[in-house]
Amino acid sequence: MVDIFKFLFCLMAEYDMGGDFREIEDFLRRVSGIMLYVALAGLIFFVILNPGFRKRKNIEDKVMLGECLLLFVALIIEILYRNQYSIFGRYFVTIYVLAPPIIDMLYMMAVLQWLIFVDYSLYHSVDHIKRRYKFSAVPVFVIVIVNIFQNLYIYTSGEENEIMRSLFFATQYIKTAIELFYILVAVYLSASYGKEHNEPGFIRLRAFIIPFVLGCLVRRFDVSLMVIGVVLTCETVKKRYKYIDRETGFYNRAFLDVVSSYRDANNYVGGNGILIKAEDKGKDMADLLNEIRPSDSNVFLLDRDCFLILGESFRDSAVKMAVMTITEAAETSEAGYTPQIETVRREKNETAKDFANRILSSRLLKDAA
């Protein structure tokens, strides 16, 4: 039993197993080395085959491109680190001292970036992202700084005492705990969103959460498995892009019809809408709504300059506050305009389909047409 725990810990910490596990360790090292090159090639093709990353017209593409860049740099540094003896010579201090902590930092930041991608894909709120993840990277940088000083001490002193060994074990557990926490938060957000919002789901994390968990527990494969998980996440989210306006990131008219049918099929009642017309200021209004819209609502682009905020549980007071906030923000913005706003409440016995049709027959939309 002790040998089994030793084996599992060594896999997690990428520590020298020695003894009876030497052959397994050599095999894992060779396989993980091959996977690094495969992951690097796959990541490059993934970016090339997604033109949205190059255009970066919406926030999801920007976040995912940042994710890919983090993983790309992590893969390059790890490949250099694995081959440091043949490339740089045995005593290349920068690679020895900095490479492992930087790889860990990039990996943890990639997990965090993935969490942010999932969160934004669900809630589509920049303000929500800024508030929730304002200090989330602080533990990552603390761990990295501790690891750099630890490696520098070992390199300069030439010895690894009991304190350094204990510190190494502690940081490995903390890093794993941080990464697993980010992953569990993403799973929780996905599950809670499905309960809170009565709409078809496009993100199903449970099917491919395994690569992330294995990456946290088996350090030799962490970055490679992360690439697999990220690609699967992005491909899953892309299924809903036919219902998304790629310029603004908002849902289109087609999705309003899908949501209405889904809610009627599930006997969902309630909901309010805020119709906004910003004549000739559609781009400015889209930017504003991306910043300040309520997190428990969806935004639809119904026409070039017409938007719909569809709330899940808008109270009258919340609707009034949202209207005041949007009007004030538009008037005090650099563009300086006053949007036309109309509120629409769903009647008690009205179907979601009829409610949607009433919204689409609004005077604001007819004037826009």
Side-chain angles (χ1 to χ4, degrees):
M1 183 64 70
V2 174
D3 286 343
I4 293 175
F5 279 111
K6 176 186 175 184
F7 175 70
L8 293 175
F9 177 79
C10 290
L11 282 178
M12 183 184 74
E14 201 169 358
Y15 201 67
D16 187 8
M17 297 181 218
D20 298 334
F21 299 117
R22 181 67 65 187
E23 292 184 3
I24 298 176
E25 183 182 12
D26 290 340
F27 172 75
L28 290 175
R29 184 180 292 111
R30 288 195 298 270
V31 173
S32 63
I34 294 171
M35 283 192 65
L36 287 175
Y37 291 101
V38 173
L40 181 61
L43 189 64
I44 292 172
F45 278 111
F46 176 64
V47 173
I48 292 173
L49 295 175
N50 283 275
F53 294 164
R54 297 190 294 275
K55 297 177 182 178
R56 298 190 299 280
K57 290 185 176 181
N58 62 54
I59 294 174
E60 285 181 7
D61 286 337
K62 292 177 182 178
V63 174
M64 184 51 66
L65 180 61
E67 173 90 356
C68 292
L69 290 175
L70 285 171
L71 292 173
F72 178 80
V73 176
L75 287 167
I76 293 295
I77 295 177
E78 184 151 356
I79 289 171
L80 292 175
Y81 179 67
R82 296 280 185 100
N83 296 278
Q84 62 177 301
Y85 296 144
S86 58
I87 297 176
F88 301 107
R90 181 168 181 152
Y91 302 104
F92 197 81
V93 61
T94 305
I95 290 292
Y96 177 81
V97 173
L98 296 181
I102 289 177
I103 293 170
D104 286 338
M105 178 190 71
L106 291 169
Y107 180 78
M108 286 189 283
M109 290 300 294
V111 178
L112 175 60
Q113 189 84 345
W114 171 78
L115 167 59
I116 292 173
F117 176 81
V118 170
D119 196 326
Y120 184 80
S121 297
L122 292 170
Y123 292 97
H124 309 288
S125 174
V126 174
D127 183 61
H128 168 79
I129 294 295
K130 289 179 179 179
R131 285 186 285 104
R132 174 169 284 179
Y133 302 103
K134 187 175 182 180
F135 302 106
S136 55
V138 172
V140 174
F141 292 114
V142 171
I143 290 293
V144 170
I145 292 171
V146 170
N147 278 353
I148 289 175
F149 277 109
Q150 175 191 350
N151 288 353
L152 189 61
Y153 173 83
I154 295 172
Y155 181 83
T156 54
S157 66
E159 61 180 17
E160 183 180 2
N161 56 35
E162 192 62 35
I163 295 177
M164 288 295 106
R165 186 181 292 271
S166 300
L167 185 61
F168 171 79
F169 290 160
T171 54
Q172 290 299 321
Y173 284 122
I174 293 172
K175 281 187 288 190
T176 302
I178 291 172
E179 293 158 8
L180 288 174
F181 173 75
Y182 289 154
I183 293 169
L184 290 175
V185 169
V187 174
Y188 168 77
L189 289 175
S190 179
S192 61
Y193 183 88
K195 293 178 181 179
E196 295 170 2
H197 292 69
N198 286 271
E199 64 182 53
F202 295 98
I203 300 180
R204 304 188 184 281
L205 299 182
R206 297 171 189 172
F208 48 85
I209 205 69
I210 295 174
F212 292 108
V213 176
L214 286 178
C216 291
L217 299 179
V218 187
R219 285 292 170 187
R220 298 179 190 279
F221 299 91
D222 52 2
V223 182
S224 302
L225 290 170
M226 182 73 187
V227 171
I228 296 174
V230 165
V231 171
L232 289 173
T233 304
C234 188
E235 291 301 315
T236 301
V237 171
K238 281 171 63 177
K239 292 179 180 178
R240 68 180 177 83
Y241 281 174
K242 63 181 178 179
Y243 300 117
I244 296 289
D245 175 73
R246 297 302 300 273
E247 294 287 334
T248 62
F250 299 149
Y251 289 118
N252 55 28
R253 284 193 183 217
F255 190 66
L256 181 60
D257 184 64
V258 171
V259 168
S260 301
S261 300
Y262 180 87
R263 290 181 175 181
D264 283 338
N266 289 274
N267 298 316
Y268 172 73
V269 296
N272 288 296
I274 301 176
L275 270 170
I276 304 169
K277 180 184 177 184
E279 192 167 356
D280 299 325
K281 299 290 183 180
K283 178 66 169 61
D284 297 306
M285 178 54 69
D287 292 340
L288 188 150
L289 290 177
N290 259 320
E291 291 287 340
I292 67 171
R293 74 183 182 86
S295 60
D296 61 343
S297 64
N298 286 322
V299 180
F300 295 78
L301 179 64
L302 301 181
D303 210 321
R304 186 186 64 178
D305 299 325
C306 292
F307 303 84
L308 166 67
I309 301 178
L310 194 62
E312 296 300 319
S313 57
F314 270 180
R315 298 177 182 271
D316 288 342
S317 58
V319 171
K320 290 178 181 178
M321 180 61 68
V323 171
M324 290 175 57
T325 301
I326 293 168
T327 303
E328 183 179 352
E331 291 176 343
T332 58
S333 67
E334 188 176 333
Y337 59 98
T338 301
Q340 299 179 57
I341 299 179
E342 177 185 336
T343 59
V344 187
R345 171 179 286 279
R346 184 175 170 184
E347 302 298 335
K348 184 176 181 181
N349 296 319
E350 188 177 31
T351 66
K353 200 81 169 177
D354 290 339
F355 179 53
N357 289 333
R358 187 155 58 88
I359 289 173
L360 295 176
S361 63
S362 165
R363 173 185 55 83
L364 290 184
L365 287 175
K366 288 181 178 178
D367 291 345

